[in-house]
Amino acid sequence: MSTSPDASVPGSDTPNLEYTGTTPYEDYVQADVLTHLQHPLSDDPGEMVFLVTTQVMELWFTVIVHEWETASRALREDRIPVAMDALGRSVRELEALNASWKPLARLTPAQFNSYRGALGEGSGFQSAMYRRLEFLLGEKSASMLVPHRGAPRVHAELEKALHEPSLYDEVLRLLARRGHPVPDSVLRRDLSQKYEPSQVVEDIWAQIYAHPDENDELVRLGEALTDVGELVWRWRNDHLVATRRAMGSKTGTAGSAGVAWLEKRARKNVFPEVWTARSHV
Ligand code: HEM
């Protein structure tokens, strides 16, 4: 980031060094705050990258939630190019998110044990931003709010997200406005419940994909959703494999069955009908 031309020394081609208070970079990025949020709980030198990778992933979750909320709002207002831009950005952000598994992907059990005890019951299972991400995919669950009862702001944000239409709900409403026969039971579903796949919606996607010339925009939308679904599935699988390498079949810090529980979670199909429709095109 450069300083404004006004701030540079006249006639000089080097950056300005003089600021009366904090630098404009600091005022914008808050790097001093961000780089002092790392408080490892053990003396193990390997814990730092575990903590920072987790924080980096939280930041990516935050950006991706922002993109999907932007896309949802744009779809609701029939501003398809705006929605497609946000979805496209989120696909590249998901790729960056998934690349950040690298430093943790090959932990040995002994390495992970060096700081695992210090984590106590702390687990990514308690990530509120990850829940918002899942809620936007249509994977709603009121019970996922329970761990956050003691944190009023986080709880209120999750509660709001639980009752709002997901990204996929907005897509299905768009399909209905475009004349596709989306059933009333889908359009008026209880938004706080997990989205259940519908045969009619599968038929609609199959029809759209079978006639790409007439449905160019919707095919592109379907493909953007497919990219998102694939990359979320890859995140879940990378997490699963990293966990299997680091702790085998031990129970998780949040008390789950660990790998066995994560395997079930990774089997979920994001935007189910954009996948199942492919068998019928
Ligand atoms: C190699 C390091 C890691 C191991 C061994 C591990 C292990 C686990 C286990 C066993 C669970 C199941 C819940 C439990 O009982 O704790 C879980 C859940 C979860 N972890 Fe990790 N994890 C690791 C790294 C991360 C990182 C870096 C993140 C990034 C935020 C993360 C995010 C999550 C999330 C979001 C869940 C909930 C998944 C769901 O609800 O489907 N994990 N993890």
Side-chain angles (χ1 to χ4, degrees), residues 54 57 101 123-125 130-131 239 243 252-256 261 265:
T54 308
M57 287 197 182
W101 274 117
S123 165
F125 177 74
Y130 183 78
R131 287 309 152 213
H239 178 241
T243 303
T253 43
S256 81
W261 186 79
R265 308 281 294 171

Side-chain angles (χ1 to χ4, degrees), residues 1-2 32 60 67 70 92 100 105 158 162 167 190 219 224 251 255:
M1 191 176 311
S2 65
D32 186 46
W60 281 127
E67 305 293 15
T70 303
R92 294 182 289 278
S100 50
L158 272 176
L162 181 71
L167 171 61
D190 177 352
V219 171
T251 51

Side-chain angles (χ1 to χ4, degrees), residues 50 53-54 57-58 61 101 104 107 112 116 122-127 130-131 134 144 235-236 239 242-243 246-247 250-259 261-262 265 268:
F50 176 80
T53 301
T54 308
M57 287 197 182
E58 282 288 335
F61 295 161
W101 274 117
L104 299 183
L107 287 176
F112 188 46
R116 187 181 192 221
S123 165
F125 177 74
Q126 296 138 17
S127 164
Y130 183 78
R131 287 309 152 213
E134 285 200 331
M144 293 300 182
W235 185 89
R236 288 174 171 158
H239 178 241
T243 303
M247 54 178 260
K250 293 173 201 163
T251 51
T253 43
S256 81
V259 161
W261 186 79
L262 290 174
R265 308 281 294 171
K268 287 184 294 185

Side-chain angles (χ1 to χ4, degrees), residues 110-170:
Q111 286 166 343
F112 188 46
N113 283 346
S114 310
Y115 49 86
R116 187 181 192 221
L119 307 178
E121 287 189 43
S123 165
F125 177 74
Q126 296 138 17
S127 164
M129 204 49 90
Y130 183 78
R131 287 309 152 213
R132 285 186 51 194
L133 201 136
E134 285 200 331
F135 286 2
L136 276 160
L137 297 174
E139 297 175 6
K140 301 282 187 75
S141 164
S143 64
M144 293 300 182
L145 270 64
V146 177
H148 305 284
R149 276 191 299 215
R153 184 173 74 180
V154 170
H155 191 271
E157 284 173 356
L158 272 176
E159 178 131 54
K160 184 164 172 279
L162 181 71
H163 295 282
E164 274 174 355
S166 70
L167 171 61
Y168 198 48
D169 287 314
E170 294 295 358

